[in-house]
Amino acid sequence: MRLRFPMKSAVLAFVVFLLFIPQFSVGIRMIPGRISAVSAAVGNGFDFGPFVEAPEYRNGKECASQSSNRENFVSSCDASLVHVAMTLDSEYLRGSIAAVHSMLRHASCPESIFFHLIAAEFDPASPRVLSQLVRSTFPSLNFKVYIFREDTVINLISSSIRQALENPLNYARNYLGDILDRCVDRVIYLDSDIIVVDDITKLWNTTLTGSRVIGAPEYCHANFTKYFTSGFWSDPALPGFFSGRKPCYFNTGVMVMDLVRWREGNYREKLETWMQIQKKKRIYDLGSLPPFLLVFAGNVEAIDHRWNQHGLGGDNVRGSCRSLHKGPVSLLHWSGKGKPWVRLDEKRPCPLDHLWEPYDLYEHKIERAKDQALLGFSSLSELTEDSSFL
């Protein structure tokens, strides 16, 4: 007897399946355990490693009770943990690994940090390979990888001053309220080109007062008008959106975010509205930053500047060397064109790039001639002041 396949039933089942796929992301949860992922990545043609396995960093006595049994499941919903969100991609993987390493190394409670890592759906290495690389480098890390669907934002992206700023993954921060598990109420968002040289718990303890949704270091002496085109400022209506606010520039590479207020306020839709306006009338040139300024500037919880010493990658064209602001430093940020791992490998490092180097876990480091300009500096506070990156 010949069996006939019930085509209509199959189509209906497939449609139902699609309806239950999350619009913005799906998750890959990697359970702690030693696996050999580097060889798998290289075997698939992706030579991102190997990376040296990071040392084990354990909680101090002052930390909240945390089981030392590494087989225990740590939930991404655990509100007692410090939650950090970062993007994860093949191009910036080395920076992401160094950033995670720096946070673990300086945290008083490294086992009490949970990392939410967001990978692009069509990254050349595949999100699963990237997940395995992270696990092989940090066998006991608490983390989850979310797959960001790039078609969510691709049609909203406009050309930018630098092509790298057009990467859809740069816009993943706009969708954190949708990408991360709904149980995650609060998160620190960090770019991949940073290192933390202080206890990340201090940043986590930032209080967002009133109805504020985000906190970030603000730079009110910066020329705010330069972040928008003359067409924006000459428009009869658009500048009025800043009415009643005292907007200041802030960098979106370091933000403390209340995701409950974010979701309730539909801030993803507000950011998308400005991106749609940009598609019709060019009102800015700088990628994903201006929509955040339009929505939040003037209503940001001000965080100490020590938590975002940014601009160390130079400007968006030349990527020239920069120095630090005067004062204490808790986080260094290589925003701009120049990235420390690239300049170190090309043997043309800037002095501050050597501060990133101790956190680099890439095994096949090229021998580098140490930049003589750094000799004689015994601490970050001895580096010269330079506010030209604002």
Side-chain angles (χ1 to χ4, degrees):
M1 181 174 66
R2 184 178 181 182
L3 297 177
R4 299 184 65 182
F5 184 76
M7 182 62 70
K8 291 184 178 179
S9 298
V11 172
L12 178 61
F14 181 69
V15 171
V16 172
F17 170 74
L18 289 177
L19 290 175
F20 284 92
I21 295 178
Q23 181 180 359
F24 302 99
S25 70
V26 294
I28 300 174
R29 183 61 194 269
M30 301 298 293
I31 304 300
R34 296 178 183 274
I35 60 175
S36 178
V38 173
S39 58
V42 175
N44 281 289
F46 307 116
D47 189 11
F48 304 126
F51 289 89
V52 176
E53 183 178 308
E56 289 280 352
Y57 294 102
R58 301 298 183 105
N59 280 358
K61 294 181 179 180
E62 71 278 11
C63 301
S65 177
Q66 184 92 14
S67 173
S68 60
N69 182 359
R70 295 310 183 94
E71 299 301 319
N72 284 358
F73 179 83
V74 178
S75 173
S76 61
C77 298
D78 190 339
S80 70
L81 303 179
V82 174
H83 292 265
V84 177
M86 302 178 67
T87 57
L88 188 68
D89 70 322
S90 53
E91 184 177 359
Y92 281 75
L93 178 63
R94 195 163 159 189
S96 300
I97 293 291
V100 171
H101 185 206
S102 71
M103 280 179 265
L104 297 176
R105 184 169 173 176
H106 292 283
S108 58
C109 305
E111 295 175 276
S112 300
I113 306 173
F114 195 99
F115 291 89
H116 303 266
L117 305 176
I118 304 160
E121 183 178 13
F122 298 113
D123 189 282
S126 91
R128 187 165 296 279
V129 167
L130 292 173
S131 301
Q132 293 171 337
L133 282 165
V134 172
R135 176 57 68 208
S136 67
T137 307
F138 303 102
S140 301
L141 190 71
N142 302 318
F143 78 97
K144 178 177 179 178
V145 172
Y146 303 78
I147 302 175
F148 178 55
R149 301 186 184 281
E150 296 163 289
D151 57 0
T152 301
V153 71
I154 193 71
N155 292 326
L156 292 172
I157 297 175
S158 302
S159 60
S160 181
I161 192 173
R162 183 160 58 94
Q163 188 173 4
L165 300 177
E166 300 171 21
N167 186 332
L169 201 58
N170 285 335
Y171 294 83
R173 72 196 85 191
N174 300 25
Y175 298 89
L176 288 179
D178 303 286
I179 295 173
L180 304 191
D181 296 326
R182 297 287 294 185
C183 58
V184 181
D185 293 341
R186 199 167 188 270
V187 72
I188 298 171
Y189 174 82
L190 298 174
D191 276 351
S192 297
D193 51 0
I194 62 100
I195 58 170
V196 176
V197 293
D198 202 345
D199 189 348
I200 193 66
T201 305
K202 297 177 183 177
L203 180 59
W204 176 253
N205 289 335
T206 299
T207 299
L208 300 180
T209 60
S211 60
R212 290 192 172 103
V213 179
I214 66 171
E218 290 185 300
Y219 303 88
C220 294
H221 63 282
N223 181 5
F224 189 79
T225 61
K226 72 178 183 180
Y227 295 100
F228 302 94
T229 64
S230 58
F232 173 86
W233 295 113
S234 62
D235 188 274
L238 295 180
F241 282 91
F242 289 118
S243 179
R245 291 190 274 166
K246 294 182 179 179
C248 295
Y249 163 74
F250 65 95
N251 179 277
T252 54
V254 179
M255 295 186 291
V256 178
M257 307 175 70
D258 186 319
L259 294 182
V260 174
R261 295 173 184 171
W262 179 281
R263 296 177 183 119
E264 290 176 348
N266 297 318
Y267 283 96
R268 184 252 300 171
E269 290 90 341
K270 293 176 181 178
L271 293 169
E272 286 182 333
T273 296
W274 282 111
M275 294 173 70
Q276 290 165 353
I277 293 173
Q278 163 77 349
K279 295 288 285 188
K280 298 174 182 177
K281 179 177 182 178
R282 192 166 184 84
I283 58 175
Y284 55 81
D285 295 317
L286 202 58
S288 61
L289 168 65
F292 269 86
L293 297 179
L294 286 159
V295 173
F296 293 108
N299 194 25
V300 173
E301 188 71 40
I303 295 175
D304 195 293
H305 289 179
R306 67 187 300 155
W307 283 104
N308 195 353
Q309 289 275 353
H310 68 293
L312 304 184
D315 59 27
N316 283 302
V317 179
R318 296 183 300 275
S320 53
C321 295
R322 296 284 174 84
S323 298
L324 293 175
H325 260 327
K326 185 178 181 180
V329 179
S330 293
L331 184 149
L332 294 93
H333 186 187
W334 278 263
S335 57
K337 184 178 181 181
K339 303 305 172 189
W341 57 91
V342 175
R343 296 193 295 214
L344 285 162
D345 284 354
E346 293 178 350
K347 296 185 178 181
R348 53 176 188 85
C350 295
L352 288 175
D353 294 344
H354 293 297
L355 299 177
W356 179 90
E357 192 172 13
Y359 305 97
D360 183 15
L361 294 174
Y362 190 67
E363 188 173 37
H364 299 311
K365 296 179 184 178
I366 297 174
E367 289 188 11
R368 302 161 182 142
K370 296 296 182 181
D371 194 318
Q372 296 299 313
L374 191 64
L375 297 179
F377 293 122
S378 60
S379 67
L380 289 174
S381 61
E382 294 182 48
L383 292 167
T384 57
E385 177 185 4
D386 179 7
S387 59
S388 62
F389 58 80
L390 290 178

